[in-house]
Amino acid sequence: MAEQTPMMRQYLEIKSGYPDAILFFRMGDFYEMFLDDALLAARILDITLTSRNKGSGDEIPFCGVPFHSATPYIAKLIEHGYKVAICEQVEDPKQTKGIVRREVVRVVTPGLLIETESLSPDENNYLLALCQGSGDQWGCAWLDLSTGEFRVTELTGAPAAVAEAVCVNPREILLTDGLDVGTLPADLRAFLAEKIISRAPAWVYERDYAGSLLCGQFAAASAEALGLESMPHGLMAAGAALYYLRENRKSAIPHIRDIRVYQRSEHLALDPATRRNLEITATMAEGKKSGSLLGCLDRTATAMGARCLKQWLSYPLVGVEPIRRRLDAVEELLEAADLRDDLVAQLKQVADLERLNGRIGMASASGRDLRALHESLRQLPGLLEQMERLQSPLLRSLAQSIDPLEEIRTLIGRGIVEQPPFSLREGGIIASGYHAELDELRAISHEGKGFIARLEAQEKARTGISTLKIRYNRVFGYSIEVTKSNLANVPADYIRRQTLANAERYITEELKNYEEKVLGAEERICDLEYTLYQEIREQVAAQSERICRTAAGLAALDVLIALASVAGERNYCKPMVDESDVIEIRDGRHPVIEGMKLGERFVPNDTRLDGDENQVLMITGPNMAGKSTYMRQVALITLMAQVGSFVPAASARIGIADRIFTRVGAGDNLARGQSTFMLEMMEAASILKNATPRSLIVMDEIGRGTSTFDGVSIAWAVAEYIHDVPTCRSRTLFATHYHELTELSATRERIKNFTVAVREWNDQVIFLRTIIPGGASHSYGIQVARLAGMPSDVIERAKEVLRNLESGEFEEGAPRIAKSSKRPPKESPQFTLFESSEDQLRLRLKKLNIATLTPLEALNLLDELKRMV
């Protein structure tokens, strides 16, 4: 370093403090990058890479970007997973001898973005801090710097921590400096591998330090006052998040005024597999919002509302009264269509108050941000006047939380011009009439400029030089410019100031006096305007809590209006939500699929689940017939009801679920060394360990990833466990191609068989999409293969092999699969593939009651008897 220039020594010294960040080193009008930072940034940003000391053998690579347009460059580096340290000149170069002092004023990380251009308007940008404690306890704290949201909880077990992390979906994760990721459970390692990881020193996670940091930020007397006394690991995670934020922002964060402590039991729990399988906020295939439940329901008018809706879907409620309050509000808004339209029109004029409030609090808001706040506040009196017509308790409560902030609106209206300039330092941002001294200085400036114009005309007349010009230069100030061909006519009182190639520049005593007056006024104007702007911004920032509360109220109102709009468009019904174990849905529909253009009408279906007679519905039927769609729609209707939304059905009664589990398909996870079957078994095991009688389970095709006998055995045992074990006994939809499982209804009183109705015509299968009682006679796999375009030779050979298999798969005796060493088997009314075809046919006909058969059942029976023969 000693051999470098003073500037490079300064750069290297500052860079040493930020080895994991790309240093944006301010030099005049540019941010410069050197050495390895330059090589990396030039490649990612696609900008020119050059070098200092060319040809010396000690070249220093460097590149740069203009400081006034650095935001998109910073955003691009952040998108690639890098941090950016912003190093500014903290001294005025004009008043400094030697090297200007520079300091890093903030570090931009993926989880601490505030720039609008770098953020998705309808998604939060979270930093998640994890703290692993003793007894497999995990503290989870997450914050969004752009909005000021800060939450903390404590969970037991790594799977619960992973589930919460997936729900939060952070942009950046903070871990303890000494934590070895390789020692963590596989699921957590896999999740962390997909995220940007940052570290905080181990001493930051000390309980006393974390507590003092949080108490200082939130003006609390103790951790107990914050509600964190019983959450030591949550306390340490929250302290680490706040430490990391302060270390990188290096400035006050007054808009983070509250920390919300919550228990996961306050909300319907959804594990990562369920979130993925139900496509709640993103599709499985492409990870897009379109095609998900969120995409289906999002009719919000504001960015705040869009983020709030996503959070409601991620954290459905389990309390009956809060759910009913939301449903009553949606019902009232649904019935008041004209009022709803008026409210939407006003909400569309409201900017993102949460993020505006964040930028104002962090002193990074521009004049345009303040005007956006002003225009938003202008909508609130009219909006509140409209809301006076609403009567539901929740809507009345939201109206009370929305503060019109009239004094803030008046302050901004008086102080900030309607069209503020982008820059805060060059004047033109403070409105006329706001400050007497500023108005006086502006008058002097305007008068001085008029004087310059009059003086130029006067000097032209006095000297007879028609081409004479009075020009302004930042370095030399005002001067009288005369071309060399007219130098002979220059008066004696002209004082030479500068020589040009084709002209000379002069100054006079009169011009010099006015120059000092005018330029002094303009410089004073810029300084005074910036000071006044800061004062206005600080006065607005002091009302951060009121702005935050208003933003939350508007966001919730926006979501309720959106849910009412969707309910009206799609003919949703208001569900009855209670504490029972009953899920009863009449004419239920899949909220996403019914809106897709699939070339056929969506067929509604009924559902009855309870803990007495219909605990487990065993659903059989061919592929593509609609089993998975049916099961998912039941889960989504339950979730929507607990969010407080109307649901796609003719009627619905939803007994509150504490958790929803799904085991729907899987793919190999080679990174974890897990096969499809292994992943399937792990997910099923987790369900059986965590399900309760209040849970809803969707189990689709369990056991199909191994041999037929193994698969049947596992699926059978799982279904028995769900039915028999008192601590589980969950309401369950169980789809299978193993027709042997339909025999369970003969030995288990709360298991009922259902199938998807189909019809065959000329060896073709027609899916009727209707769920009916009973079991399927076969799976129609060959017919589905034909629909998929399988070559006809393969289809014919498959039919031949199937006939060969069917002819040899019967033997004398009762169904052996139902036998158990623990209990005598009950007589089964179901006839299975384990009896001889002749005995099966005779017994089937003997027990047949023709008088009760419907035409469709008769056709299905005839097909069944034909196959037996």
Side-chain angles (χ1 to χ4, degrees):
M1 187 180 294
E3 298 176 358
Q4 300 294 340
T5 63
M7 188 276 295
M8 279 306 298
R9 285 200 297 272
Q10 184 187 52
Y11 170 84
L12 292 170
E13 182 179 349
I14 294 173
K15 172 64 182 176
S16 67
Y18 300 89
D20 61 341
I22 296 173
L23 185 64
F24 270 37
F25 191 75
R26 179 72 178 272
M27 296 180 66
D29 289 341
F30 281 81
Y31 287 121
E32 302 285 6
M33 289 151 279
F34 297 93
L35 302 170
D36 290 344
D37 282 2
L39 297 173
L40 180 63
R43 175 174 57 81
I44 294 174
L45 302 178
D46 193 23
I47 57 178
T48 302
L49 179 69
T50 184
S51 62
R52 290 175 176 266
N53 307 330
K54 281 189 177 181
S56 66
D58 189 22
E59 296 183 355
I60 299 175
F62 82 98
C63 61
V65 297
F67 86 95
H68 55 80
S69 58
T71 298
Y73 295 104
I74 294 172
K76 194 168 185 180
L77 291 171
I78 295 296
E79 286 174 8
H80 281 75
Y82 295 97
K83 302 175 184 178
V84 179
I86 308 297
C87 180
E88 294 286 2
Q89 298 173 173
V90 293
E91 291 180 330
D92 186 348
K94 296 178 181 178
Q95 301 176 1
T96 304
K97 293 183 179 180
I99 296 296
V100 176
R101 187 163 62 89
R102 294 177 173 87
E103 292 179 0
V104 171
V105 296
R106 68 185 177 111
V107 180
V108 185
T109 77
L112 299 180
L113 287 169
I114 60 170
E115 289 77 11
T116 304
E117 301 87 344
S118 305
L119 296 171
S120 172
D122 56 357
E123 290 187 5
N124 285 99
N125 192 76
Y126 289 125
L127 167 75
L128 170 67
L130 293 176
C131 175
Q132 183 182 22
S134 58
D136 206 18
Q137 291 295 109
W138 287 84
C140 297
W142 39 281
L143 62 84
D144 183 344
L145 178 60
S146 68
T147 65
E149 182 182 6
F150 197 177
R151 299 193 181 199
V152 60
T153 192
E154 191 166 298
L155 305 158
T156 301
V162 173
E164 194 67 7
V166 170
C167 180
V168 173
N169 191 25
R171 188 83 178 270
E172 182 179 1
I173 297 178
L174 185 65
L175 300 176
T176 314
D177 206 9
L179 179 65
D180 181 4
V181 174
T183 64
L184 298 176
D187 283 353
L188 185 53
R189 288 201 312 270
F191 179 77
L192 294 176
E194 300 171 356
K195 297 294 180 179
I196 296 167
I197 305 298
S198 296
R199 301 281 185 165
W203 58 264
V204 171
Y205 290 83
E206 293 178 2
R207 185 170 180 174
D208 289 344
Y209 174 79
S212 64
L213 199 63
L214 292 167
C215 289
Q217 175 69 26
F218 300 112
S222 65
E224 186 177 3
L226 294 172
L228 286 166
E229 184 64 25
S230 62
M231 288 188 180
H233 303 101
L235 171 73
M236 290 183 278
L242 186 57
Y243 164 84
Y244 186 74
L245 173 55
R246 287 186 169 183
E247 281 295 297
N248 288 297
R249 279 301 303 177
K250 300 185 184 299
S251 61
I253 42 175
H255 69 296
I256 299 182
R257 294 175 173 266
D258 184 36
I259 183 168
R260 179 183 167 187
V261 180
Y262 69 101
Q263 301 284 350
R264 202 59 187 87
S265 58
E266 297 172 9
H267 303 281
L268 171 65
L270 301 164
D271 60 26
T274 299
R275 293 182 184 279
R276 180 179 66 251
N277 293 333
L278 296 183
E279 299 183 302
I280 297 171
T281 58
T283 58
M284 279 194 290
E286 299 178 325
K288 292 183 177 179
K289 174 181 172 181
S290 177
S292 68
L293 179 63
L294 175 61
C296 170
L297 298 179
D298 192 358
R299 299 290 191 280
T300 54
T302 68
M304 302 176 293
R307 294 193 298 270
C308 182
L309 174 60
K310 186 174 182 180
Q311 193 164 98
W312 282 19
L313 290 175
S314 297
Y315 290 88
L317 303 174
V318 293
V320 170
E321 286 309 312
I323 293 172
R324 288 177 177 172
R325 280 163 56 88
R326 287 184 183 178
L327 290 171
D328 290 345
V330 172
E331 181 178 38
E332 184 174 8
L333 290 166
L334 174 61
E335 294 172 353
D338 291 341
L339 173 59
R340 192 172 72 238
D341 291 342
D342 291 341
L343 291 172
V344 169
Q346 289 169 320
L347 283 171
K348 285 182 177 179
Q349 305 302 314
V350 176
D352 192 340
L353 298 188
E354 289 179 331
R355 285 182 170 160
L356 282 177
N357 189 40
R359 291 197 293 276
I360 291 168
M362 290 180 286
S364 61
S366 66
R368 297 178 184 183
D369 286 334
L370 291 187
R371 286 302 304 192
L373 175 60
H374 174 270
E375 295 307 307
S376 299
L377 297 180
R378 282 183 59 192
Q379 309 301 318
L380 300 190
L383 184 142
L384 289 171
E385 184 178 347
Q386 296 282 0
M387 291 186 71
E388 289 178 0
R389 297 161 53 188
L390 299 170
Q391 299 300 319
S392 76
L394 179 55
L395 291 172
R396 298 302 303 165
S397 173
L398 292 178
Q400 292 173 6
S401 70
I402 297 171
D403 188 338
L405 293 154
E406 293 178 1
E407 72 279 17
I408 295 299
R409 177 164 55 92
T410 301
L411 172 66
I412 298 173
R414 286 183 52 245
I416 307 296
V417 296
E418 290 188 8
Q419 299 292 332
F422 181 79
S423 173
L424 300 177
R425 292 284 190 173
E426 297 179 5
I429 194 169
I430 301 299
S432 297
Y434 178 74
H435 194 270
E437 182 184 353
L438 178 62
D439 290 343
E440 183 179 348
L441 288 169
R442 282 174 172 169
I444 293 172
S445 176
H446 292 317
E447 179 185 341
K449 290 178 180 178
F451 167 78
I452 295 297
R454 292 193 299 273
L455 180 63
E456 182 179 288
Q458 172 187 314
E459 291 302 309
K460 283 181 180 180
R462 180 164 76 96
T463 62
I465 305 174
S466 60
T467 57
L468 178 147
K469 300 288 185 183
I470 297 181
R471 300 191 182 277
Y472 173 75
N473 179 281
R474 284 192 174 187
V475 177
F476 294 100
Y478 286 101
S479 59
I480 301 171
E481 185 175 294
V482 179
T483 58
K484 290 193 174 180
S485 61
N486 291 301
L487 293 181
N489 298 324
V490 171
D493 60 339
Y494 276 29
I495 304 168
R496 183 179 282 106
R497 168 169 275 187
Q498 184 185 13
T499 300
L500 304 177
N502 299 313
E504 294 283 347
R505 286 178 174 170
Y506 300 91
I507 188 75
T508 65
E509 195 65 29
E510 185 179 16
L511 181 58
K512 187 176 180 180
N513 291 336
Y514 270 92
E515 177 187 72
E516 291 175 357
K517 184 177 180 180
V518 171
L519 295 183
E522 291 185 350
E523 185 175 345
R524 173 63 182 145
I525 285 171
C526 292
D527 291 343
L528 182 56
E529 283 206 52
Y530 184 67
T531 300
L532 293 172
Y533 174 77
Q534 287 182 307
E535 290 175 357
I536 294 173
R537 186 169 60 190
E538 287 170 4
Q539 290 182 62
V540 177
Q543 305 305 319
S544 171
E545 189 172 349
R546 293 170 63 194
I547 298 172
C548 185
R549 188 167 56 248
T550 296
L554 291 170
L557 174 64
D558 194 8
V559 174
L560 293 169
I561 291 172
L563 294 178
S565 298
V566 175
E569 290 173 15
R570 300 198 170 186
N571 195 29
Y572 288 1
C573 76
K574 181 182 182 181
M576 183 177 75
V577 179
D578 57 31
E579 296 281 3
S580 73
D581 60 5
V582 176
I583 294 178
E584 188 167 20
I585 302 168
R586 185 169 65 85
D587 289 341
R589 315 185 303 274
H590 193 293
V592 179
I593 294 178
E594 74 161 340
M596 295 180 175
K597 297 179 180 179
L598 300 178
E600 62 177 294
R601 182 181 64 88
F602 189 92
V603 178
N605 275 294
D606 297 344
T607 303
R608 168 80 187 198
L609 281 166
D610 56 53
D612 297 326
E613 298 179 359
N614 300 275
Q615 180 205 333
V616 180
L617 305 188
M618 192 65 64
I619 304 170
T620 53
N623 287 315
M624 295 177 58
K627 300 190 303 296
S628 295
T629 296
Y630 168 72
M631 294 193 300
R632 284 186 171 99
Q633 80 187 30
V634 173
L636 287 173
I637 287 172
T638 301
L639 184 146
M640 289 171 66
Q642 292 190 219
V643 165
S645 168
F646 279 33
V647 299
S651 65
R653 177 186 177 188
I654 305 297
I656 293 293
D658 61 354
R659 303 190 67 161
I660 296 177
F661 296 97
T662 63
R663 160 87 282 290
V664 183
D668 290 348
N669 193 322
L670 300 180
R672 303 187 206 180
Q674 296 167 352
S675 67
T676 301
F677 183 68
M678 180 63 176
L679 188 58
E680 178 182 317
M681 291 299 98
M682 291 174 64
E683 291 181 359
S686 176
I687 292 172
L688 298 183
K689 289 176 184 176
N690 295 291
T692 74
R694 296 290 302 276
S695 302
L696 172 63
I697 298 176
V698 173
M699 195 79 76
D700 193 4
E701 306 295 351
I702 188 172
R704 65 180 176 179
T706 185
S707 70
T708 302
F709 288 166
D710 284 354
V712 171
S713 303
I714 292 170
W716 184 284
V718 167
E720 282 189 339
Y721 185 96
I722 293 172
H723 180 279
D724 295 346
V725 176
T727 56
C728 183
R729 202 165 171 173
S730 305
R731 296 163 289 184
T732 304
L733 299 170
F734 201 117
T736 183
H737 279 291
Y738 298 133
H739 300 148
E740 294 85 352
L741 266 63
T742 60
E743 297 173 11
L744 277 163
S745 65
T747 61
R748 297 294 186 276
E749 61 183 3
R750 295 186 305 280
I751 296 182
K752 298 294 185 290
N753 291 328
F754 286 83
T755 187
V756 185
V758 298
R759 180 170 294 174
E760 288 185 89
W761 180 260
N762 291 335
D763 206 25
Q764 300 286 327
V765 61
I766 301 172
F767 304 125
L768 302 182
R769 312 295 188 194
T770 301
I771 304 296
I772 59 174
S777 57
H778 55 283
S779 293
Y780 300 96
I782 293 176
Q783 288 85 343
V784 173
R786 177 188 284 113
L787 290 175
M790 193 71 75
S792 58
D793 291 348
V794 174
I795 296 296
E796 293 305 315
R797 177 55 181 155
K799 289 164 66 176
E800 183 180 11
V801 172
L802 177 61
R803 285 192 296 270
N804 294 337
L805 290 171
E806 289 179 337
S807 65
E809 67 182 354
F810 301 105
E811 59 183 57
E812 299 289 340
R816 297 182 300 175
I817 194 169
K819 294 181 180 179
S820 170
S821 60
K822 296 182 179 180
R823 63 178 70 86
K826 295 183 180 180
E827 181 181 354
S828 172
Q830 304 292 325
F831 295 91
T832 73
L833 304 178
F834 292 87
E835 297 177 285
S836 71
S837 58
E838 185 177 348
D839 288 345
Q840 188 182 30
L841 179 61
R842 185 180 293 109
L843 291 171
R844 186 76 176 89
L845 290 171
K846 185 177 179 180
K847 293 192 174 185
L848 182 64
N849 186 355
I850 297 177
T852 62
L853 286 180
T854 67
L856 179 59
E857 289 172 338
L859 286 172
N860 287 331
L861 174 63
L862 183 59
D863 176 74
E864 179 185 346
L865 297 175
K866 180 180 176 182
R867 291 180 179 278
M868 289 181 184
V869 175

